Amino acid sequence: MQGPSPSSARPAFPADGAAARRRSATAWGFLAPALLLIGLSVLIPAAMALVMSFTRSGLDVGEPLQWVGLANIRRLLADPMFFKVLGTTLLYLVGVVPPVVLGSLVLAVLVNRQLPGIHWFRAAFYTPVLVSIVVAAIAFRWLYAETGLINGWLSALARDGWLAGLLGGSFQPIGFLTNPALALPSVMLVTLWKGLGYYMVIFVAGLQGIPQDLYEAAELDGSEGWRKHCDITLPLLRPYITLVAVISAIAATKVFEEVYLMTQGGPAESTKTLVYYVYDQAFAELEISYACTVGLALFVIVLLLSLVRFAFAGDKGFT
């Protein structure tokens, strides 16, 4: 019996190498527009900013850059304002991240229940995320005003309510955005209000991945109420807690809109953060090269936070 001819034994499809190259070319073709956009809007400006960190620019943007080496970095390390805004940024981080992590986790546990109408509560808590930060900042600025809603409400309570006995009927409006001791916490509250719903959704996704059998077994062992969440929920949500903590820390480090729209770094520079300092040096002082150097320091801080996130997450976290 004669075997099949060589021509009939050939596969009907292209060779594996050619098919792989075609699939690769197709994938790169779809990715090319996004990569081009990222390159033009992110990578190339970032590279230019890195180069400008080692130069000195004049007031005229058309002037050629002067190479100064590490002079801007030495200036940065000797700049007391840089360390002041760095301290304010770290204070902002410490004041925002723990309440965001704890508050969003508590909200996620509360809304992760099979109760009638629970979807409405989830939507209500998530609604601030959909509000533009510009709208939120302007609304809170009106609320914080000395003639705003909060001071009006406190004035009414001092006149006719339970505060009348404490204040004797006299009430001085509180300068939430004009008092250096209150301005930064007041701006933090806006960031907290905006972020709780977003991080709540992340925790809800993690909670829905925990088998219900574990909670039932814990109840049989006598673990009830909030104790079962300490025994089961917190250990199993560790990757999510790490993720939320690092993402919120990076967001708090890069805060700008709230500060710009509500206080513009005041009063007495008590709310000036790193990103606002970059903006101030670049567009108010026209120190473009030095602003790039401050931005480089901010990049290093964000990079360190990202490395901390990967170090703590490991194989058990998100890759």
Side-chain angles (χ1 to χ4, degrees):
M1 183 174 179
Q2 189 176 9
S5 62
S7 60
S8 62
R10 292 177 182 174
F13 300 97
D16 292 341
R21 287 193 295 270
R22 186 189 305 177
R23 289 194 298 269
S24 177
T26 302
W28 282 110
F30 281 108
L31 289 173
L35 293 176
L36 179 62
L37 182 62
I38 293 175
L40 292 176
S41 61
V42 178
L43 299 181
I44 294 178
M48 293 176 61
L50 178 62
V51 173
M52 291 184 67
S53 300
F54 302 97
T55 63
R56 178 181 293 114
S57 59
L59 297 179
D60 186 1
V61 294
E63 296 180 4
L65 298 176
Q66 301 177 6
W67 183 264
V68 295
L70 300 178
N72 286 326
I73 296 180
R74 289 193 292 267
R75 175 184 173 183
L76 182 75
L77 296 177
D79 185 2
M81 179 55 66
F82 168 75
F83 289 100
K84 180 178 180 179
V85 299
L86 177 61
T88 302
T89 303
L90 296 178
L91 183 61
Y92 201 97
L93 187 151
V94 173
V96 167
V97 174
V100 161
V101 175
L102 182 60
S104 57
L105 178 58
V106 171
L107 284 180
V109 172
L110 292 177
V111 302
N112 189 41
R113 298 167 180 247
Q114 298 301 325
L115 297 175
I118 195 65
H119 299 290
W120 293 103
F121 285 96
R122 293 178 183 175
F125 290 133
Y126 189 76
T127 298
V129 181
L130 305 178
V131 178
S132 169
I133 185 59
V134 176
V135 175
I138 294 176
F140 271 87
R141 190 175 63 186
W142 287 344
L143 291 174
Y144 287 143
E146 295 187 359
T147 57
L149 182 62
I150 296 178
N151 275 310
W153 178 66
L154 293 175
S155 177
L157 289 178
R159 184 175 59 253
D160 302 321
W162 56 272
L163 286 178
L166 297 176
L167 301 178
S170 61
F171 174 76
Q172 296 296 328
I174 300 175
F176 291 101
L177 298 180
T178 56
N179 188 333
L182 298 177
L184 190 63
S186 300
V187 178
M188 289 179 185
L189 186 60
V190 181
T191 304
L192 181 63
W193 179 78
K194 277 278 296 176
L196 280 177
Y198 176 79
Y199 300 115
M200 177 196 72
V201 173
I202 298 177
F203 281 128
V204 168
L207 288 171
Q208 293 180 351
I210 299 177
Q212 193 64 28
D213 298 343
L214 296 178
Y215 292 106
E216 296 175 357
E219 291 179 358
L220 293 177
D221 291 338
S223 180
E224 298 180 354
W226 287 102
R227 182 180 174 184
K228 67 180 179 182
H229 291 295
C230 296
D231 296 337
I232 297 176
T233 305
L234 291 181
L236 294 180
L237 285 185
R238 180 183 173 185
Y240 294 87
I241 295 174
T242 303
L243 177 68
V244 169
V246 175
I247 291 179
S248 59
I250 293 175
T253 304
K254 299 189 298 181
V255 64
F256 173 75
E257 292 90 345
E258 298 94 314
V259 175
Y260 177 77
L261 293 169
M262 298 179 68
T263 63
Q264 295 190 344
E269 299 176 339
S270 60
T271 60
K272 183 177 288 187
T273 59
L274 268 177
V275 178
Y276 190 87
Y277 190 49
V278 172
Y279 164 82
D280 184 62
Q281 290 296 308
F283 298 103
E285 304 295 334
L286 297 179
E287 294 276 0
I288 306 295
S289 297
Y290 186 62
C292 292
T293 307
V294 180
L296 179 62
L298 176 63
F299 168 76
V300 172
I301 294 174
V302 174
L303 179 62
L304 291 176
L305 291 175
S306 301
L307 293 178
V308 169
R309 170 252 183 279
F310 285 109
F312 279 91
D315 296 334
K316 297 180 180 179
F318 302 90
T319 58

